[in-house]
Amino acid sequence: MAYAPQTPLKALPGAYFQTPAHQSQALSQRGQVAQTGAQKPNVEDVQPIGRAAKAVNEALLEESRYPELDNYIGRKSGGAHIGRVKLTVVLEGISSEYEVSNQSAWAPFQKIKMYTIPDRIFEQYNRAQVSTIMGLFADFNHAWVAIDNALYLWDYTHPNPDLVSFEDASHTITAVRLVAPRPGVFVPSIVRLLVVATTSDIIIVGVSAQTASYGGKTIALYSLKMSASVKGLDVDVIEGSNATGRIFFSGRGSDDVYEFTYQQEEKWFTNRCAKINHTSKGYSTFTPSLLFGQKTQQEIVTQMVMDDSRKLLYTLSSKSTIRTFFVRSNGALDLVITRPLGQTLSNVGHMTSQTELISPSMSIVSISAITAQEAAKTHLVATTSTGCRLFMSATSSYGYYSSSSNAPTSMQVQHVKFPPAGSSNSQQHQSSQSTQLTQYSNTPPTNTSSRALVPTRTAVRYAPGYFLTFVARDAQAGTDLLFVSGPDSGRIAQRPQDQQRPTKYPELALWLNLGSRAEDVGLAMGEFAASSSPVGFGNELAVQFDQPSSEIAILTNTGVHMLRRRRLVDIFAAVLRLGGGAEGADGEVKRFIRLYGRDEMTSTALAVACGQAFDVTSDSRLARISDPEVVELARKSFIEQGGKPVYNENSMLDRSTPAIDFVRPSPRHEGLARYISRLLRSVWKAPIIQERVTPAGGFSIMSSVSLSKLRDISHDLTKLKEFLNTNKSFIEGLAGPEALGSVNTKQEEVSLQGEHRALHALVVLLDRVIEGIAFVLVLHDEKIEETILSLATETRQQVKSLSYEGLCTTDLGKALAKDLVKAIVNRNILSGSNVETVAEALRRRCGSFCSADDVVIFKAQEFVKRGGEAGPDSDVCRDYLNESLRLFKQVAGSLSMEQLHWIIGQYIALQFYAGSIQLCLNKARESDRGNRALTWIQEGRPPGDKRAESFESRRKCYDLIHQVILSIERSRMESPDIADGHLTLSGKRRDEAADEIDTSDDEVFQTDLYDWYLQNSRSEQLLEVESPYVITYLERRSSDDIVHADLLWRYYVQNERYQDAAVVQLALAKSKFMLSLDRRIEYLGNARTNASTTRPGIVRSLRTEVLREVSDLLEVANIQSDLLQRLKCHKMITADRKPKVVEELDGNILPLSVLFNTYCEPAHYFDLCILIYEAADHRVASDIKSTWQNLLEDAHVEAERESQGPEPYEKVAEAVRTLGKKLGLSETMFPVPELLPMLKRYAHNFQPNSKPDTWVLDIFIDLQVPFETMYVVVENMFYNDEPPFQGRNRRWIGNDIVYIATLWFQDSIRGSGLPFGGEDTAFTVSQMLQMVMQSGLDERRLEQCQTLRMRIENMLR
């Protein structure tokens, strides 16, 4: 029982208990921002197409969660939160919520037209003698009438139909039913069986159907010669199983259930046809009932309903007993549940207080099955004579019956739907009662006493809840009032704020006066199903653009009345057109928002604006609503009532996420996404193709969605695109940058940016999907089997699993589409078809998948193909290839590497070498238009740099040029360049290719080419290249690689740029490369040679500077080399230290200070020290003199240490002579005035008996020291009278004077010259000789002195 709340609770802030239910739900949707504001959104870095795909998927997911039927019927526990207190109540399993409007605009159904019964039927009817029954085969658009023993069928939609008759029955027809045949028994053309029951037999007739030219169906009947005797049963109820083809029936004589069995042929123990009684057993089948005492009414079966989804057969008896049979696979039929009326009343009594509507006086007039696809727990709906609907569930011992393999054991009533308010109120807007709601349930009190549907004669229910009740209020008049209702899907789809509270079961209803008695009812098309599972099954909103509206045919004795279920879009369009109420259309729009929310309003308004609404015209035709006024009102509703985006700044926890990601788009965006998702619902997840095996075992490929359906979707999407393009300046978020001028705050600006991003993404997706569908249509226009089979195996498998979503939103889909386009074009090329026509059609219809560039590529490929057909040596071939090259270069950026490989392969085969190189260079340039690869190379190719990817993309093109070069070399081996003194055609083509390479200004290419030369040991080929990039390349690489550096100076020498070569060689000598000292000296020697070579144009100062630096460094290097060689043999260096010393010296040229302080001076290499003085320009005379002194002493000591070596003076003489030659008689480093006396003192003190006694002077003479210099030195020594040359020892100096003067005289008189260069000097020397003669010379020197003096005197006379 339902109890009203006893004490109203105090309204708390935020509770809104007095707010109308629908408005609160609409507000709750907007309030979700505040509820989720504290949560950081899941930010995804997606492109517009991915963002839009996500929005569509979310819309589809939301609609797939539409509540199942079990969620809004039955007894459930619910509750509400008041602050922190949770109130738990048991929600009653009853309801009576209807909205019966007196406004036709809000009517859930509309009468399309009435088809009259043909006159010929009335003519036959007037001849009736026994009985007449009528019925419908609504799914075939046919009605039938049985008059006595004849059956007539006609297409009630045809204005002048032909009658199809069955007149083979011998007895009066009592029942007719159209059922599905058992699979495999009949030929495929037999799509139905017509079951005809007479007073004597039950007969089945084959039925075939075909679609007629006018859109209806024509049927033909075929005699199957199958029948069974049913005498005495008076069959009036027949039911068939669509899944198994089994036929059940019952008659007016009992409540037994029979089955009519049939098979193809008779067998040993079974006939072709038979009847089986599944309820009565044994002799009771053949024994009549014996009644004693008071007469009782015989219980009979009045209705049968088959539920194939659960393998259950329900029967309703004349005593309102519901029986449930389990249909077993072995042919048995088990009675598992018997539900008498009393038990049903007892079950309902626990749900509601006592009411005359649910009492023993009422009866159950009809039952309707609810399939497992529609509801998991609810199985059956029973309608009472008072108009109540009882929703019943079959249960088993372990819970609700859900399996089709086990039988249920009991049945319970889960929910009772009472009739609407009485007839006086039937035209009131029932949902207006919800403006004052109870604080607990938000629903009006259930009306359990309305007699609006009394007496209900019969009723029928169709999925997802269409309920038709025929009320016979005036039995004498013989007419019915029709009450038809359907679920208000828009309100059911809105989930209550409290998720524990079940969804309400509101219905929209309509009263119709048929003016006659209803004879039969049927669906004019298949059963409704929005999904294959209970969740989402009843969502009419989701499929209102995807499936045709349900139409119900009602047969009366005056004709066939057609009712059409009105979609929400149709209702909204009618509301805008009629504009009922004081506030007009605006008021109706606001009411619509209160009922269904702003998201749904924008989606529906958009659909109306795009021409999706239909209505019945004055001539009873169903047509699209194109009234400009209605379309304009819908447009305004979408634009002006679309809401605002919301920027939730409080949810930003840090600044790492852009503020735009915290913007929730407006309901307008949600409505647009919802509308797009509904248009795409049937194709979004569907594969673009599906494979089938033909009956002959062949292979065929078909579209998973009919092509006509694809065209309809494309048309609707195109209309939407046109609407958005036309109105984008008025739509907030699509208006463009100028819309930012109207914002006042930063928050508004961010909100607008977020709105624009969301809407723009949907617009991008819209374009992509339109082109994607067009692409699929083009694909199916071609020979799709050949196209698919031409793909690679892996690609083919990917295409088979590719959905429309994947095709339009993923990179893989785009790549696969490109592969399909290529396959189409290649197939046309092979077949000789005009590729240009196909390519142009692809570009025009689906530019994203086949762009203008693709068309150009296909044209160029066609030219390549024609060139190959013409032959490589023909002028026509050259023309075709040149034209193809021109086209390929136009779209080089769009060429894939696979395409480029194919093109270059064709070009090489046709010896179009220069074109191959041009195209590769063009493609490389287009792949890196910012020239990022060059900057990466110029900066030394840093590792990990993203610019390396640009280089790699270019290098793939250059690799093809390498292949061209190799092909050219192979062709040169096959055919020479010159024949008979003339350049051959092949040679000309090779020269053209070489010119393309040498004259290319692509520095990245040249760099890669030179790398390839060196990697393949082609350095000599590199040196032959005449390009400025060679030097740039070698200079850039020489800093890192000695090979490149060597090639650089060789390239300079080869091109006679000696100065540059010397600079490179000097740099190599100074470099950090792992070079030996000898190698560095070699570089310096070559550098000095090259620097010394003069050529016109060389700047003298630069040449001199280079030469000076080379000479200085070479001098140091030679010193280091001498030092190295000595240290290698130095006995004082330990074995473990010697390698380190050698490593230090046999490498980089060290500074002189290091050589001097670290090695030469400690090792007493005094000659090297003097050389270092020379190199370092060290001019301190005392240091030089002392070092010479140390050199002499060291040489003397070393000579004395070597017992078998030369004499000490010889050792000393050789050391001075050798060092003097190296010093080049430097006045500073080889000071003769110091050295000569030093050596004379050494000779006098340590080598007095050395022979010859002139060995000291001989050293200087050998070094070509001028005689005059030596004479002056010894003359000074003679005059200075310094120790040890004092007194008698002066004669030793005198001897030297005579020796030097003699040699000087002889040298000066050669060539008739003057002695000593002049008379004055000769006179001075003569006087000196006279003085020396007095110093005590020995006899030989004295005689020599006298002779020399006499000769001088004689020459002076």
Side-chain angles (χ1 to χ4, degrees), residues 612 624 679 707-717:
Q612 288 286 358
R624 291 183 184 269
L679 293 178
L707 300 184
S708 60
K709 178 69 173 178
L710 289 177
R711 293 187 185 97
D712 290 342
I713 294 174
S714 179
H715 174 268
D716 293 339
L717 292 173

Side-chain angles (χ1 to χ4, degrees), residues 1329-1343:
L1329 291 175
Q1330 184 178 2
M1331 187 179 297
V1332 169
M1333 291 171 58
Q1334 300 174 4
S1335 61
L1337 298 176
D1338 56 40
E1339 293 181 0
R1340 184 174 63 85
R1341 293 295 184 194
L1342 180 60
E1343 182 180 357

Side-chain angles (χ1 to χ4, degrees), residues 993-1011:
D995 289 340
E996 290 293 336
I997 293 174
D998 293 341
T999 60
S1000 171
D1001 59 355
D1002 186 345
E1003 186 173 350
V1004 181
F1005 161 64
Q1006 297 289 0
T1007 300
D1008 177 80
L1009 178 65
Y1010 305 151
D1011 283 339

Side-chain angles (χ1 to χ4, degrees), residues 246-249 255-261 274-281 285 304 313 325-328 330-335:
R246 297 175 68 176
I247 302 172
F248 304 98
F249 62 91
D255 61 349
D256 292 334
V257 176
Y258 295 85
E259 181 178 0
F260 180 84
T261 62
K275 74 174 188 295
I276 300 174
N277 189 336
H278 286 289
T279 51
S280 297
K281 304 297 181 183
T285 307
M304 286 184 183
L313 175 68
F325 296 84
F326 184 64
V327 183
R328 295 193 179 276
N330 60 2
L333 185 70
D334 298 340
L335 175 62

Side-chain angles (χ1 to χ4, degrees), residues 283-570:
Y283 67 91
S284 62
T285 307
F286 308 98
T287 303
S289 300
L290 300 178
L291 302 177
F292 299 93
Q294 186 179 3
K295 258 187 175 182
T296 60
Q297 184 180 1
Q298 175 68 38
E299 184 178 14
I300 63 174
V301 174
T302 60
Q303 187 182 0
M304 286 184 183
V305 177
M306 184 70 202
D307 182 1
D308 284 315
S309 65
R310 296 186 174 93
K311 297 183 179 180
L312 297 179
L313 175 68
Y314 304 101
T315 66
L316 175 65
S317 75
S318 56
K319 293 184 178 181
S320 300
T321 298
I322 299 174
R323 293 180 175 87
T324 304
F325 296 84
F326 184 64
V327 183
R328 295 193 179 276
S329 302
N330 60 2
L333 185 70
D334 298 340
L335 175 62
V336 293
I337 302 173
T338 300
R339 190 76 174 179
L341 179 60
Q343 292 184 11
T344 301
L345 293 175
S346 177
N347 199 180
V348 174
H350 295 287
M351 299 182 183
T352 181
S353 59
Q354 185 174 359
T355 172
E356 61 179 2
L357 298 181
I358 306 293
S359 66
S361 62
M362 65 88 179
S363 63
I364 298 177
V365 297
S366 70
I367 57 175
S368 299
I370 298 176
T371 64
Q373 184 182 4
E374 183 178 359
K377 299 177 181 179
T378 307
H379 295 62
L380 189 70
V381 175
T383 306
T384 69
S385 58
T386 58
C388 297
R389 279 174 284 169
L390 311 179
F391 292 83
M392 310 179 76
S393 297
T395 58
S396 59
S397 57
Y398 50 83
Y400 287 99
Y401 170 72
S402 59
S403 173
S404 60
S405 59
N406 298 313
T409 56
S410 64
M411 182 174 284
Q412 295 179 349
V413 177
Q414 293 296 321
H415 187 84
V416 178
K417 185 72 181 239
F418 284 93
S423 58
S424 61
N425 299 324
S426 63
Q427 302 304 315
Q428 299 297 322
H429 186 11
Q430 298 295 317
S431 67
S432 63
Q433 301 173 17
S434 64
T435 56
Q436 297 297 327
L437 307 176
T438 63
Q439 296 179 0
Y440 291 116
S441 63
N442 278 353
T443 58
T446 302
N447 187 343
T448 61
S449 59
S450 172
R451 297 181 60 83
L453 301 182
V454 177
T456 295
R457 185 175 62 82
T458 186
V460 65
R461 180 193 182 274
Y462 299 111
Y466 306 148
F467 177 57
L468 289 83
T469 305
F470 298 92
V471 182
R473 289 186 180 167
D474 188 354
Q476 299 298 326
T479 61
D480 288 333
L481 277 177
L482 172 60
F483 177 79
V484 55
S485 66
D488 191 349
S489 302
R491 291 167 63 189
I492 294 174
Q494 296 187 48
R495 290 176 176 79
Q497 260 183 312
D498 189 348
Q499 295 296 324
Q500 294 186 358
R501 181 185 304 160
T503 305
K504 297 178 297 181
Y505 187 16
E507 290 184 277
L508 299 171
L510 177 69
W511 284 95
L512 289 175
N513 190 347
L514 297 177
S516 56
R517 178 184 174 88
E519 300 293 339
D520 198 4
V521 183
L523 275 177
M525 54 191 63
E527 291 274 354
F528 175 89
S531 73
S532 58
S533 62
V535 178
F537 177 90
N539 193 349
E540 295 180 273
L541 303 181
V543 297
Q544 58 182 326
F545 314 123
D546 187 47
Q547 298 179 7
S549 295
S550 298
E551 293 183 3
I552 302 172
I554 304 172
L555 176 65
T556 69
N557 51 16
T558 58
V560 179
H561 301 261
M562 297 301 299
L563 292 184
R564 173 179 175 268
R565 170 64 164 171
R566 298 181 75 206
R567 305 168 301 166
L568 194 61
V569 64
D570 303 330

Side-chain angles (χ1 to χ4, degrees), residues 1058-1071:
Y1058 302 111
Q1059 184 74 19
D1060 296 325
V1063 172
V1064 175
Q1065 292 166 334
L1066 173 61
L1068 282 172
K1070 297 164 60 178
S1071 69

Side-chain angles (χ1 to χ4, degrees), residues 192-249:
R192 291 289 190 276
L193 295 179
L194 180 63
V195 184
V196 181
T198 69
T199 55
S200 176
D201 303 296
I202 186 167
I203 307 166
I204 59 174
V205 180
V207 179
S208 67
Q210 293 182 344
T211 302
S213 59
Y214 59 87
K217 291 185 178 180
T218 60
I219 63 174
L221 304 181
Y222 298 91
S223 175
L224 302 176
K225 300 186 181 301
M226 289 186 174
S227 64
S229 176
V230 291
K231 287 183 179 181
L233 295 182
D234 198 10
V235 175
D236 66 342
V237 179
I238 304 173
E239 179 67 356
S241 169
N242 292 329
T244 62
R246 297 175 68 176
I247 302 172
F248 304 98
F249 62 91

